[in-house]
Amino acid sequence: MASGMVSLLAAAVLWGTVGPAQLLADTDVAPVSLGACRMLLGGLVLGLFTVRAPGLQSLWRPGVRGWMVVSVLVTAGFQACFLESVDRTGAALATAVTFGTVPIVSGVWARLLDGERGGAAWWVGTVCAVGGAALLLMPGEGARAEVPGVLFGIVAGCSFGTYIATTKQLARRGADTAAAAPVSVLCAGAVVSPWLLAAPGGLGEPRALVLVGWLALGTTALGYLLFTRGVARVTAATAGTLSLAEPLVAAVLGFVLLGERLGVAASCGAALLLGGLVVVSLPARERAGTDGPAAARDGAGGTDRTDRTDRTGRADGVDGPVGIDGPVGIDGSGGADGVRGAGVGGGGVVSGPGSSPGRAVPARRRTPGPPRPPTPSPRE
């Protein structure tokens, strides 16, 4: 578990440098063009390490193809809108707005697609995020958030929240989410690539080349590789808590290196957004004891999600950790389902406590009776 936490923390730190690196490079490259370069190069390199032929084949199954299209579109939307938000509002605020919105959207999709009801923590986080966004959009004097930049951040958060839900659906339908993540990134880069022809300015500058290299190889390829390796070794709550390092890193770098300052209202709004994200990511208390007659009827004696076994001795599927972010998340991730990663699902059947072999019972011996006359076949 310790190695998984280190991998996730390292991935979150890498992703937290996206916004500050973009602003420190101070290039003339359009944010959408920058996102296209990042996705094309990063997706290609990541795919070389994670994609195998069986994984690609699983993405073309009936019931999977449609969700892959959604995954590609929301990945493209996330990349373009997040980098636009950073360009307009700064690294710290763009990251806070984006990832403060993600829990709301992912919770709504979980309710619509899976019937999951948000708990008290989700409602508190939602209220904080909505209130924080309202404060950021309020007109005021002095240093304040730029409204278009905040809106871009909200759209980016909605895109990533949808990506998490999409990755869950892919995993549930048997897709290899370790292959789905780089394929989504690469195809999303292809979708946005026409922007490179429309706005190619600044791409040949040395600083732009260094920036593209860092975003593609450092924050995308290496970041997702660390994330997919770490998310399988920790719980969902731990993954969510560690993901908070991303906006924290962005805020610290923005304050120290970029001198980013906000007015009182905007600062309170950003604090509310981050506070909501903290509440949603806190580990939930696990229920102790049994669930009463239902648990006894199921032959468990424990909680209904982990110890319940059926008559065959198999336990109900247990959700694995949910991927939180990388700029495309794996979730996601991510996660892979049953490991939720790269994005990101859960729910395979695992062996339960009742599956261990019991005492062997010898088979009864039958006394042979008189031979039966052969039964004529229909053809006779």
Side-chain angles (χ1 to χ4, degrees):
M1 184 173 179
S3 61
M5 294 176 64
V6 171
S7 296
L8 282 177
L9 186 60
V13 171
L14 288 173
W15 291 329
T17 66
V18 172
Q22 179 186 352
L23 297 179
L24 281 173
D26 193 22
T27 66
D28 296 327
V29 182
V32 180
S33 298
L34 182 62
C37 293
R38 178 192 183 189
M39 288 185 285
L40 289 171
L41 180 57
L44 179 62
V45 174
L46 180 63
L48 294 176
F49 287 94
T50 59
V51 175
R52 299 294 181 267
L56 286 177
Q57 294 172 1
S58 72
L59 305 181
W60 195 247
R61 295 173 181 171
V64 173
R65 287 170 286 188
W67 287 105
M68 276 302 300
V69 172
V70 176
S71 178
V72 170
L73 294 178
V74 295
T75 298
F78 173 84
Q79 292 287 344
C81 293
F82 179 68
L83 294 178
E84 279 285 354
S85 181
V86 170
D87 188 61
R88 293 170 179 266
T89 64
L93 186 56
T95 307
V97 171
T98 297
F99 296 104
T101 307
V102 169
I104 303 176
V105 179
S106 59
V108 170
W109 280 121
R111 176 64 183 271
L112 294 176
L113 296 175
D114 303 322
E116 298 178 7
R117 295 186 177 183
W122 183 82
W123 282 107
V124 171
T126 299
V127 171
C128 289
V130 172
L135 286 174
L136 291 171
L137 294 172
M138 285 178 56
E141 298 296 333
R144 57 181 293 272
E146 184 179 346
V147 172
V150 173
L151 294 177
F152 274 120
I154 293 174
V155 174
C158 291
S159 299
F160 186 67
T162 304
Y163 176 85
I164 292 176
T166 301
T167 307
K168 293 179 182 179
Q169 296 302 315
L170 287 171
R172 186 168 294 128
R173 287 161 173 77
D176 181 359
T177 49
V183 169
S184 296
V185 174
L186 188 58
C187 292
V191 170
V192 182
S193 60
W195 199 270
L196 292 172
L197 301 176
L203 284 173
E205 300 176 1
R207 288 181 299 177
L209 295 176
V210 173
L211 176 61
V212 169
W214 171 249
L215 294 182
L217 303 179
T219 68
T220 301
L222 179 58
Y224 288 140
L225 191 61
L226 289 169
F227 183 85
T228 52
R229 290 181 176 178
V231 75
R233 297 180 174 90
V234 301
T235 64
T238 301
T241 303
L242 291 175
S243 71
L244 295 175
E246 181 175 351
L248 177 61
V249 169
V252 171
L253 293 178
F255 180 82
V256 175
L257 300 180
L258 303 171
E260 294 181 351
R261 302 291 189 277
L262 292 174
V264 175
S267 298
C268 292
L272 267 178
L273 280 166
L274 289 176
L277 186 57
V278 170
V279 170
V280 171
S281 300
L282 286 176
R285 291 183 178 178
E286 297 180 358
R287 289 176 296 174
T290 67
D291 290 334
R297 183 174 60 252
D298 291 332
T303 57
D304 62 345
R305 291 186 63 81
T306 56
D307 297 328
R308 189 170 58 203
T309 58
D310 58 23
R311 293 181 180 179
T312 65
R314 294 178 301 177
D316 287 346
V318 182
D319 290 341
V322 179
I324 301 295
D325 168 55
V328 270
I330 291 186
D331 182 253
S333 104
D337 210 2
V339 207
R340 286 196 188 201
V344 189
V349 176
V350 297
S351 298
S355 62
S356 55
R359 180 174 56 88
V361 178
R364 296 182 179 178
R365 293 183 179 181
R366 292 186 177 182
T367 304
R372 296 181 180 179
T375 303
S377 67
R379 293 182 182 179
E380 298 175 352

